[in-house]
PDB file of all heavy atoms in Angstrom:
ATOM      1  N   GLY A 375     108.674  87.870  98.636  1.00 93.00           N
ATOM      2  CA  GLY A 375     108.243  87.168  99.834  1.00 93.00           C
ATOM      3  C   GLY A 375     109.234  87.195 100.982  1.00 93.00           C
ATOM      4  O   GLY A 375     108.904  86.785 102.095  1.00 93.00           O
ATOM      5  N   ASN A 376     110.461  87.639 100.694  1.00 87.00           N
ATOM      6  CA  ASN A 376     111.500  87.589 101.727  1.00 87.00           C
ATOM      7  C   ASN A 376     112.391  88.824 101.598  1.00 87.00           C
ATOM      8  O   ASN A 376     113.294  88.880 100.765  1.00 87.00           O
ATOM      9  CB  ASN A 376     112.331  86.311 101.567  1.00 87.00           C
ATOM     10  CG  ASN A 376     113.377  86.156 102.656  1.00 87.00           C
ATOM     11  OD1 ASN A 376     114.012  87.123 103.058  1.00 87.00           O
ATOM     12  ND2 ASN A 376     113.566  84.944 103.140  1.00 87.00           N
ATOM     13  N   GLY A 377     112.099  89.803 102.440  1.00 85.00           N
ATOM     14  CA  GLY A 377     112.825  91.077 102.366  1.00 85.00           C
ATOM     15  C   GLY A 377     114.309  90.947 102.653  1.00 85.00           C
ATOM     16  O   GLY A 377     115.080  91.849 102.356  1.00 85.00           O
ATOM     17  N   GLU A 378     114.716  89.792 103.209  1.00 92.00           N
ATOM     18  CA  GLU A 378     116.138  89.589 103.531  1.00 92.00           C
ATOM     19  C   GLU A 378     116.963  89.238 102.291  1.00 92.00           C
ATOM     20  O   GLU A 378     118.158  89.490 102.248  1.00 92.00           O
ATOM     21  CB  GLU A 378     116.282  88.422 104.537  1.00 92.00           C
ATOM     22  CG  GLU A 378     115.672  88.700 105.893  1.00 92.00           C
ATOM     23  CD  GLU A 378     116.449  89.786 106.613  1.00 92.00           C
ATOM     24  OE1 GLU A 378     117.644  89.592 106.837  1.00 92.00           O
ATOM     25  OE2 GLU A 378     115.839  90.828 106.924  1.00 92.00           O
ATOM     26  N   PHE A 379     116.328  88.597 101.313  1.00 97.00           N
ATOM     27  CA  PHE A 379     117.054  88.078 100.139  1.00 97.00           C
ATOM     28  C   PHE A 379     117.809  89.211  99.433  1.00 97.00           C
ATOM     29  O   PHE A 379     117.234  90.256  99.141  1.00 97.00           O
ATOM     30  CB  PHE A 379     116.057  87.393  99.188  1.00 97.00           C
ATOM     31  CG  PHE A 379     116.653  86.843  97.933  1.00 97.00           C
ATOM     32  CD1 PHE A 379     117.910  86.232  97.922  1.00 97.00           C
ATOM     33  CD2 PHE A 379     115.956  86.923  96.730  1.00 97.00           C
ATOM     34  CE1 PHE A 379     118.455  85.701  96.768  1.00 97.00           C
ATOM     35  CE2 PHE A 379     116.476  86.401  95.553  1.00 97.00           C
ATOM     36  CZ  PHE A 379     117.735  85.799  95.570  1.00 97.00           C
ATOM     37  N   LEU A 380     119.096  88.972  99.128  1.00 98.00           N
ATOM     38  CA  LEU A 380     119.887  89.988  98.447  1.00 98.00           C
ATOM     39  C   LEU A 380     119.276  90.343  97.091  1.00 98.00           C
ATOM     40  O   LEU A 380     119.354  91.514  96.668  1.00 98.00           O
ATOM     41  CB  LEU A 380     121.303  89.480  98.231  1.00 98.00           C
ATOM     42  CG  LEU A 380     122.211  89.424  99.464  1.00 98.00           C
ATOM     43  CD1 LEU A 380     123.504  88.684  99.128  1.00 98.00           C
ATOM     44  CD2 LEU A 380     122.511  90.828  99.962  1.00 98.00           C
ATOM     45  N   GLY A 381     118.718  89.368  96.412  1.00 98.00           N
ATOM     46  CA  GLY A 381     118.076  89.619  95.129  1.00 98.00           C
ATOM     47  C   GLY A 381     119.044  89.502  93.955  1.00 98.00           C
ATOM     48  O   GLY A 381     120.261  89.589  94.119  1.00 98.00           O
ATOM     49  N   PRO A 382     118.493  89.279  92.746  1.00 98.00           N
ATOM     50  CA  PRO A 382     119.332  89.021  91.569  1.00 98.00           C
ATOM     51  C   PRO A 382     120.347  90.122  91.262  1.00 98.00           C
ATOM     52  O   PRO A 382     121.489  89.817  90.914  1.00 98.00           O
ATOM     53  CB  PRO A 382     118.303  88.905  90.429  1.00 98.00           C
ATOM     54  CG  PRO A 382     117.013  88.582  91.091  1.00 98.00           C
ATOM     55  CD  PRO A 382     117.055  89.147  92.466  1.00 98.00           C
ATOM     56  N   ALA A 383     119.965  91.376  91.357  1.00 98.00           N
ATOM     57  CA  ALA A 383     120.902  92.434  90.947  1.00 98.00           C
ATOM     58  C   ALA A 383     122.147  92.471  91.822  1.00 98.00           C
ATOM     59  O   ALA A 383     123.271  92.627  91.317  1.00 98.00           O
ATOM     60  CB  ALA A 383     120.210  93.791  90.966  1.00 98.00           C
ATOM     61  N   ALA A 384     121.985  92.282  93.128  1.00 98.00           N
ATOM     62  CA  ALA A 384     123.149  92.254  94.019  1.00 98.00           C
ATOM     63  C   ALA A 384     124.025  91.037  93.706  1.00 98.00           C
ATOM     64  O   ALA A 384     125.261  91.118  93.755  1.00 98.00           O
ATOM     65  CB  ALA A 384     122.687  92.237  95.475  1.00 98.00           C
ATOM     66  N   LEU A 385     123.385  89.918  93.347  1.00 98.00           N
ATOM     67  CA  LEU A 385     124.148  88.727  93.005  1.00 98.00           C
ATOM     68  C   LEU A 385     124.912  88.913  91.683  1.00 98.00           C
ATOM     69  O   LEU A 385     126.046  88.467  91.540  1.00 98.00           O
ATOM     70  CB  LEU A 385     123.224  87.507  92.931  1.00 98.00           C
ATOM     71  CG  LEU A 385     122.569  87.137  94.289  1.00 98.00           C
ATOM     72  CD1 LEU A 385     121.519  86.046  94.113  1.00 98.00           C
ATOM     73  CD2 LEU A 385     123.623  86.673  95.297  1.00 98.00           C
ATOM     74  N   VAL A 386     124.290  89.612  90.750  1.00 98.00           N
ATOM     75  CA  VAL A 386     124.983  89.938  89.491  1.00 98.00           C
ATOM     76  C   VAL A 386     126.224  90.798  89.779  1.00 98.00           C
ATOM     77  O   VAL A 386     127.306  90.561  89.234  1.00 98.00           O
ATOM     78  CB  VAL A 386     124.029  90.667  88.519  1.00 98.00           C
ATOM     79  CG1 VAL A 386     124.776  91.354  87.383  1.00 98.00           C
ATOM     80  CG2 VAL A 386     123.005  89.685  87.947  1.00 98.00           C
ATOM     81  N   ALA A 387     126.082  91.772  90.680  1.00 98.00           N
ATOM     82  CA  ALA A 387     127.220  92.634  91.032  1.00 98.00           C
ATOM     83  C   ALA A 387     128.312  91.802  91.706  1.00 98.00           C
ATOM     84  O   ALA A 387     129.517  91.991  91.434  1.00 98.00           O
ATOM     85  CB  ALA A 387     126.749  93.754  91.945  1.00 98.00           C
ATOM     86  N   ALA A 388     127.918  90.892  92.581  1.00 98.00           N
ATOM     87  CA  ALA A 388     128.902  90.033  93.250  1.00 98.00           C
ATOM     88  C   ALA A 388     129.644  89.198  92.221  1.00 98.00           C
ATOM     89  O   ALA A 388     130.873  89.061  92.277  1.00 98.00           O
ATOM     90  CB  ALA A 388     128.188  89.134  94.272  1.00 98.00           C
ATOM     91  N   HIS A 389     128.915  88.634  91.269  1.00 98.00           N
ATOM     92  CA  HIS A 389     129.522  87.804  90.218  1.00 98.00           C
ATOM     93  C   HIS A 389     130.565  88.628  89.452  1.00 98.00           C
ATOM     94  O   HIS A 389     131.674  88.165  89.179  1.00 98.00           O
ATOM     95  CB  HIS A 389     128.420  87.321  89.279  1.00 98.00           C
ATOM     96  CG  HIS A 389     128.881  86.409  88.184  1.00 98.00           C
ATOM     97  ND1 HIS A 389     129.579  86.867  87.078  1.00 98.00           N
ATOM     98  CD2 HIS A 389     128.766  85.062  88.012  1.00 98.00           C
ATOM     99  CE1 HIS A 389     129.853  85.839  86.285  1.00 98.00           C
ATOM    100  NE2 HIS A 389     129.380  84.741  86.829  1.00 98.00           N
ATOM    101  N   ARG A 390     130.209  89.832  89.121  1.00 98.00           N
ATOM    102  CA  ARG A 390     131.091  90.686  88.317  1.00 98.00           C
ATOM    103  C   ARG A 390     132.458  90.897  88.989  1.00 98.00           C
ATOM    104  O   ARG A 390     133.492  91.024  88.318  1.00 98.00           O
ATOM    105  CB  ARG A 390     130.386  92.042  88.063  1.00 98.00           C
ATOM    106  CG  ARG A 390     131.163  93.036  87.226  1.00 98.00           C
ATOM    107  CD  ARG A 390     131.688  94.141  88.128  1.00 98.00           C
ATOM    108  NE  ARG A 390     132.621  95.005  87.392  1.00 98.00           N
ATOM    109  CZ  ARG A 390     133.916  94.735  87.298  1.00 98.00           C
ATOM    110  NH1 ARG A 390     134.428  93.644  87.830  1.00 98.00           N
ATOM    111  NH2 ARG A 390     134.716  95.565  86.639  1.00 98.00           N
ATOM    112  N   PHE A 391     132.487  90.946  90.340  1.00 98.00           N
ATOM    113  CA  PHE A 391     133.777  91.144  91.036  1.00 98.00           C
ATOM    114  C   PHE A 391     134.427  89.835  91.447  1.00 98.00           C
ATOM    115  O   PHE A 391     135.655  89.709  91.412  1.00 98.00           O
ATOM    116  CB  PHE A 391     133.582  92.079  92.247  1.00 98.00           C
ATOM    117  CG  PHE A 391     133.353  93.498  91.820  1.00 98.00           C
ATOM    118  CD1 PHE A 391     132.069  94.031  91.799  1.00 98.00           C
ATOM    119  CD2 PHE A 391     134.406  94.277  91.398  1.00 98.00           C
ATOM    120  CE1 PHE A 391     131.864  95.326  91.354  1.00 98.00           C
ATOM    121  CE2 PHE A 391     134.212  95.568  90.958  1.00 98.00           C
ATOM    122  CZ  PHE A 391     132.923  96.116  90.937  1.00 98.00           C
ATOM    123  N   ILE A 392     133.625  88.847  91.849  1.00 98.00           N
ATOM    124  CA  ILE A 392     134.191  87.562  92.288  1.00 98.00           C
ATOM    125  C   ILE A 392     135.004  86.907  91.161  1.00 98.00           C
ATOM    126  O   ILE A 392     136.058  86.326  91.397  1.00 98.00           O
ATOM    127  CB  ILE A 392     133.062  86.616  92.793  1.00 98.00           C
ATOM    128  CG1 ILE A 392     132.588  87.097  94.175  1.00 98.00           C
ATOM    129  CG2 ILE A 392     133.512  85.168  92.828  1.00 98.00           C
ATOM    130  CD1 ILE A 392     131.327  86.434  94.669  1.00 98.00           C
ATOM    131  N   PHE A 393     134.514  87.031  89.933  1.00 98.00           N
ATOM    132  CA  PHE A 393     135.207  86.374  88.804  1.00 98.00           C
ATOM    133  C   PHE A 393     136.104  87.349  88.037  1.00 98.00           C
ATOM    134  O   PHE A 393     136.528  87.040  86.927  1.00 98.00           O
ATOM    135  CB  PHE A 393     134.177  85.710  87.887  1.00 98.00           C
ATOM    136  CG  PHE A 393     133.456  84.575  88.572  1.00 98.00           C
ATOM    137  CD1 PHE A 393     132.141  84.703  88.975  1.00 98.00           C
ATOM    138  CD2 PHE A 393     134.134  83.392  88.838  1.00 98.00           C
ATOM    139  CE1 PHE A 393     131.492  83.655  89.625  1.00 98.00           C
ATOM    140  CE2 PHE A 393     133.479  82.338  89.483  1.00 98.00           C
ATOM    141  CZ  PHE A 393     132.162  82.471  89.886  1.00 98.00           C
TER     142      PHE A 393
END
Side-chain angles (χ1 to χ4, degrees):
N376 183 320
E378 294 293 300
F379 179 38
L380 287 170
L385 295 173
V386 164
H389 183 286
R390 181 253 171 273
F391 288 101
I392 286 169
F393 294 107

